Amino acid sequence: MKRKLNQYTFRSWIRTFKDVCKQLIIPFTIFQAIRTILFPSTFDVLLLTVFIIVALSYHYELI
């Protein structure tokens, strides 16, 4: 049986780090999308994909 993690049992610095990442992922994703449109490369597309997955994970509270 999988044990569900309670976000309130995390240490304070982990919660702070999570909150900072949650605030910064959207601006990083927008910047990376603009960069990918202007100067497309394989690395830029993969990084944009990772940023979008992380942003959606935060939005749907999977992380």
Side-chain angles (χ1 to χ4, degrees), residues 6-35:
N6 185 358
Q7 68 179 352
Y8 298 108
T9 60
F10 288 143
R11 294 182 182 155
S12 64
W13 68 271
I14 295 176
R15 278 184 286 166
T16 304
F17 180 75
K18 181 181 171 186
D19 291 340
V20 168
C21 289
K22 198 174 195 178
Q23 291 176 354
L24 293 177
I25 192 65
I26 297 298
F28 284 159
T29 305
I30 293 170
F31 173 78
Q32 188 62 34
I34 293 169
R35 180 183 154 94

Side-chain angles (χ1 to χ4, degrees), residues 4-5 25:
K4 188 167 177 137
L5 292 175
I25 192 65

